[in-house]
Amino acid sequence: MRRILACFLLLLFIPAAVLAQESINLSTPGYDGLSPYTLPDGRILFYGNAAAVGDYQDSRARLLCLNADGTMAWEYVHPAEGRCSFSHPQLLADGSIGVIFTNSPDQQIQELAICDFSQDGKLLAEPISIFIENLSVSGVTDTCVECVYMPGNEPVYEYRFLNWQGKPLFSFPSDQVIGGWHEMLPTAAGILLAGKANGYPAPVVLVKMDLEGHIHWSRTLSSPLPDVDADFDGLLPMADGGFTAVLGEQTYDPDSFLLPTKTEVFLVRYDQEGNILWKQSFQQMGLIHVPVLDMIVYEPYIVVAIASDTPDGNEPFQYWFDAVTGEYAGRTSQLIPEGMTNLNSELVILDSGLWLNQDLRKDIPDDRMAALDSRDEWLVKVTDLER
């Protein structure tokens, strides 16, 4: 398998039979699921799993690292059997790469562990088990691992924060600090939580905390809309410690709350203290809003990968915005061949430019297992925006 994969990667720029754009096949013979994480030296670490032909539940956790020129640096496949995968990679302060290992047959987690790898793909120590029933990992930074503990059908659950050695740092219940959905971003002295306030309708909230659970500040982001229900649809950490987000705001008829009476979507740039540096309206820029799949800084732009707006879902595209002002600069797209479905799109930067990691599956209506076996990971070159 490894030799076959290496052949794919060495023949980088030969157009693939199934795709019109320059592409790289990252796949194994069976079901594949990989996502990218960019290392500071420009290499791309793909993490996820690879399954046996004929049984997507029989999967191994897999890491695949590409050099910045697109050639293969190393690959690691965990020997554990089950429905196994790697997730949440993070470069740690000591130069190692922390990764979460999960084994979840029939979508029930049976193993959950922290793994520590060298930057050349060697497992440095025995995995540290953090398994507790009803516990899952929801986010990481280079200083902590955030877990969700959901016992039974209780309406209030718990967020638990660990260090990368698996030791508890602090915790809080889901009805305090911040609402049920949020993302965690790193800060110089702790973490920044970005999500929603509790209740419904609810505005978005930012909370800055240290690693002992003390709140440095909490900020509810106001809106000119009355009784607004707001959420972030994609967050992108920026080099200055702030972040860029796609922000959706909706108001509802207070007597029904069934259909929004008004919807607005913005691209917003925040500094590290949660102050707005600029806010650009999708509506005023003449843009539609469909779900955001990924965001990346590709100088001098912020590029936002968007799910397809075509009826058959076969043309995912990217909006390009000026990274300094947020002004709209243009749009590019990729056509997915007929008979295939794009399940996800994530952006990566190689020496040769901007690429899209596409999660493709053949449409085989009469054979579910064959359709699952056909799920492959393709890196597809994004056409540069014409300036």
Side-chain angles (χ1 to χ4, degrees):
M1 179 187 301
R2 184 179 180 122
R3 185 166 58 249
I4 294 172
L5 175 65
C7 291
F8 275 126
L9 295 169
L10 289 172
L11 299 175
L12 290 179
F13 303 114
I14 297 177
V18 297
L19 297 169
Q21 299 91 350
E22 287 182 28
S23 56
I24 305 171
N25 188 354
L26 305 178
S27 304
T28 62
Y31 173 104
D32 292 282
L34 294 174
S35 292
Y37 172 76
T38 301
L39 295 166
D41 61 7
R43 291 182 299 165
I44 311 297
L45 179 63
F46 292 88
Y47 59 92
N49 62 0
V53 175
D55 186 0
Y56 74 98
Q57 289 272 13
D58 180 14
S59 65
R60 301 290 180 95
R62 181 184 180 212
L63 298 175
L64 172 67
C65 186
L66 296 191
N67 294 312
D69 65 359
T71 57
M72 185 169 68
W74 53 266
E75 182 185 18
Y76 178 88
V77 179
H78 198 288
E81 297 182 353
R83 177 72 166 126
C84 302
S85 64
F86 284 126
S87 66
H88 298 92
Q90 193 72 204
L91 183 68
L92 306 181
D94 63 2
S96 66
I97 301 171
V99 184
I100 303 300
F101 170 82
T102 306
N103 186 359
S104 53
D106 299 319
Q107 299 182 341
Q108 297 294 319
I109 296 177
Q110 295 184 356
E111 295 180 68
L112 189 64
I114 295 172
C115 295
D116 199 23
F117 286 87
S118 67
Q119 291 196 38
D120 58 358
K122 294 181 175 60
L123 187 62
L124 296 175
E126 285 296 315
I128 301 169
S129 176
I130 57 173
F131 173 76
I132 299 174
E133 286 191 8
N134 304 309
L135 187 79
S136 60
V137 172
S138 56
V140 298
T141 70
D142 60 345
T143 56
C144 69
V145 177
E146 182 187 36
C147 301
V148 181
Y149 178 64
M150 303 183 70
N153 296 318
E154 298 294 330
V156 177
Y157 43 96
E158 187 178 36
Y159 290 104
R160 298 181 178 180
F161 295 79
L162 316 175
N163 63 22
W164 279 95
Q165 290 73 50
K167 304 299 183 184
L169 295 173
F170 64 94
S171 64
F172 58 81
S174 61
D175 61 351
Q176 298 179 21
V177 180
I178 196 167
W181 177 90
H182 63 266
E183 290 198 32
M184 179 173 62
L185 304 175
T187 69
I191 57 174
L192 178 69
L193 305 180
K196 292 173 68 73
N198 280 292
Y200 181 83
V204 287
V205 173
L206 302 178
V207 181
K208 187 175 182 179
M209 309 179 73
D210 64 22
L211 295 179
E212 294 180 345
H214 301 126
I215 297 175
H216 288 187
W217 52 258
S218 179
R219 178 168 298 169
T220 299
L221 304 180
S222 61
S223 169
L225 299 177
D227 298 320
V228 69
D229 189 69
D231 53 55
F232 292 119
D233 183 17
L235 282 85
L236 174 65
M238 305 297 285
D240 63 358
F243 66 97
T244 301
V246 174
L247 171 67
E249 298 182 339
Q250 300 180 92
T251 57
Y252 291 82
D253 183 338
D255 295 326
S256 67
F257 288 103
L258 295 177
L259 295 175
T261 57
K262 187 173 184 179
T263 299
E264 293 191 11
V265 179
F266 306 92
L267 186 71
V268 191
R269 176 74 160 89
Y270 298 90
D271 68 13
Q272 59 185 338
E273 300 301 319
N275 301 305
I276 293 177
L277 300 179
W278 45 255
K279 186 176 183 180
Q280 299 284 5
S281 165
F282 270 49
Q283 284 81 357
Q284 291 180 10
M285 292 185 288
L287 307 179
I288 63 166
H289 172 248
V290 287
V292 172
L293 300 177
D294 197 16
M295 302 170 67
I296 200 169
V297 176
Y298 182 54
E299 294 291 356
Y301 301 106
I302 293 170
V303 184
V304 181
I306 303 288
S308 176
D309 59 346
T310 60
D312 59 4
N314 266 9
E315 192 174 352
F317 63 92
Q318 301 82 44
Y319 285 140
W320 299 60
F321 302 93
D322 185 282
V324 176
T325 66
E327 295 178 353
Y328 178 62
R331 166 176 163 158
T332 53
S333 64
Q334 289 73 41
L335 182 64
I336 303 301
E338 186 176 353
M340 301 187 77
T341 298
N342 181 52
L343 302 175
N344 197 13
S345 297
E346 296 159 307
L347 296 158
V348 298
I349 299 171
L350 298 177
D351 289 344
S352 54
L354 185 64
W355 292 68
L356 200 65
N357 183 48
Q358 291 188 328
D359 197 348
L360 300 176
R361 185 188 66 197
K362 293 180 182 177
D363 299 328
I364 309 175
D366 299 327
D367 193 333
R368 177 174 177 270
M369 196 57 64
L372 289 168
D373 281 345
S374 75
R375 180 175 174 177
D376 288 332
E377 300 291 330
W378 290 86
L379 276 184
V380 178
K381 182 74 181 299
V382 175
T383 303
D384 285 337
L385 185 71
E386 295 184 5
R387 304 191 190 183

